[in-house]
Amino acid sequence: MTPVEFAELRAFSLVAEERSFRRAAKRLGLSPSALSRTIRSLEERLGVRLLNRTTRSVAPTEAGQGLYARIEPTLAEMDAALRETGAFQAQAKGLVRINLPSIAARLVVMPRLGAFAAAFPGVELDLVIDNEITDIVAKGFDAGVRIGGQVHRDMIAVRLTPDLRTAVVGSPAYFAAHPSPVTPQDLSRHRCLSYRWGGSGALLPWRFAGDGRRAATVMTGNVLTTNDTDLLIAGALQGMGLAFLLEDFVGPHLERGELVRVLAGYDEPLPGFHLYYSSRTRMPAALRAFIDFMKLVAYPGSNGTGNGGGRQSQTTSPNP
């Protein structure tokens, strides 16, 4: 069915329902003469008279009654579908799919989901844990969460956290057998636990700053490589070697003395976690509610004034 044919049937249905060209024209936003021409065009195309007209009244013919009876339920269903679709824009309801790394889910999103669910009971969240750098548009996601340096330039990004600090950590048992490194160069003499990206297979560099210089080193003396941050922590806790992790992720272990931090003066701050999405145009109300809630609750004072950093490689930041 062409748009013109649909418009003709819609016009005929309203005239048959209202039994008046004037009232039907008002509902359609047309003049009565324009509506009359539309009905004549439909009758000519079908080769049958659909309406009996006098100066005082309008009524469907037998053929018109039959046509109205067939099309009215379908048009009513289409109207209902359009109203329901429009409600997604007016009300925060429906599905929101978010792509994010496990550490962002654990540290940033999950602690706030209970409050979000209470505030927006009509929104269903689908959180997909993905430690790679995924094209959220191509994969059908509404938004993603990544460290700022991993957000592509064509995305709109909202900061969720302050900048992040990294930490090189090991267990007391490990340091009982190995001297603590004093500079990053000393790491070449240590056993290391490194993160390996599952998609590219590349090792995550350990990044340091100091004396006005920055350095990124891929460790070679690895006794464990994995694409799972929890396994790196487990290895460090068991005394296997030193691990390079986000400070927020290992904070509880440091507080309990289960891990010891070294090279604290050489850590390089990283851009914080950002929530990013492709466009503000005709954004569903459910997605807007999630963005605004996370922005205000996770990091008061943040704003979505642009992207969260230039396009960088997977190796720009640690611990997905």
Side-chain angles (χ1 to χ4, degrees):
M1 180 185 298
T2 68
V4 171
E5 291 170 339
F6 175 78
E8 289 175 347
L9 291 174
R10 178 64 173 153
F12 163 72
S13 176
L14 287 178
V15 174
E17 178 183 331
E18 293 287 351
R19 301 298 176 98
S20 165
F21 274 89
R22 181 179 56 81
R23 290 193 297 269
K26 185 176 181 179
R27 288 178 62 180
L28 289 168
L30 299 173
S31 66
S33 59
L35 178 55
S36 181
R37 289 194 296 270
T38 298
I39 297 301
R40 281 200 302 269
S41 174
L42 175 61
E43 290 175 330
E44 290 172 0
R45 183 166 58 81
L46 296 178
V48 64
R49 189 174 184 85
L50 299 173
L51 297 169
N52 288 321
R53 309 165 177 86
T54 70
T55 57
R56 296 179 303 277
S57 64
V58 178
T61 64
E62 183 179 357
Q65 290 174 355
L67 178 62
Y68 177 75
R70 293 290 300 274
I71 68 173
E72 193 279 332
T74 300
L75 292 174
E77 284 292 324
M78 294 178 70
D79 284 340
L82 291 174
R83 286 193 300 270
E84 290 175 6
T85 301
F88 280 89
Q89 185 62 25
Q91 305 175 30
K93 57 186 289 189
L95 178 66
V96 177
R97 300 189 70 227
I98 307 294
N99 180 284
L100 71 170
S102 58
I103 190 169
R106 192 175 308 177
L107 295 178
V108 182
V109 177
M110 286 304 300
R112 298 162 176 89
L113 285 192
F116 177 81
F120 301 98
V123 177
E124 177 189 351
L125 292 177
D126 181 5
L127 302 182
V128 176
I129 301 303
D130 182 358
N131 293 331
E132 302 300 319
I133 307 299
T134 295
D135 185 337
I136 61 171
V137 175
K139 296 297 184 180
F141 291 97
D142 296 296
V145 178
R146 286 289 181 272
I147 286 176
Q150 298 174 338
V151 179
H152 292 184
R153 291 184 182 277
D154 58 353
M155 292 288 165
I156 299 167
V158 174
R159 179 183 280 270
L160 297 181
T161 70
D163 285 349
L164 305 169
R165 294 185 64 191
T166 56
V168 177
V169 298
S171 71
Y174 177 83
F175 288 117
H178 303 82
S180 297
V182 178
T183 70
Q185 289 73 30
D186 295 337
L187 292 172
S188 62
R189 297 190 293 272
H190 281 267
R191 299 160 64 85
C192 296
L193 319 175
S194 287
Y195 185 89
R196 184 187 298 278
W197 293 95
S200 67
L203 288 173
L204 178 74
W206 295 24
R207 293 183 171 273
F208 302 101
D211 300 325
R213 297 180 297 175
R214 295 178 177 177
T217 304
V218 174
M219 294 298 136
T220 56
N222 294 304
V223 295
L224 173 68
T225 60
T226 178
N227 67 338
D228 187 285
T229 306
D230 287 330
L231 293 182
L232 291 179
I233 293 180
L237 289 170
Q238 294 177 40
M240 292 180 63
L242 303 182
F244 180 71
L245 300 156
L246 288 181
E247 180 184 66
D248 287 342
F249 205 40
V250 295
H253 298 292
L254 294 174
E255 292 174 2
R256 293 192 294 265
E258 298 165 345
L259 292 175
V260 177
R261 183 176 187 174
V262 294
L263 302 177
Y266 291 91
D267 65 286
E268 180 184 0
L270 298 170
F273 284 109
H274 288 65
L275 175 67
Y276 65 101
Y277 50 98
S278 62
S279 175
R280 291 189 179 95
T281 304
R282 296 185 180 88
M283 179 183 294
L287 176 58
R288 169 51 62 195
F290 182 79
I291 292 171
D292 290 345
F293 187 90
M294 293 301 299
K295 176 176 66 175
L296 295 175
V297 174
Y299 185 55
S302 66
N303 59 72
T305 56
N307 75 74
R311 181 176 182 177
Q312 298 185 15
S313 71
Q314 293 177 333
T315 56
T316 53
S317 47
N319 317 135

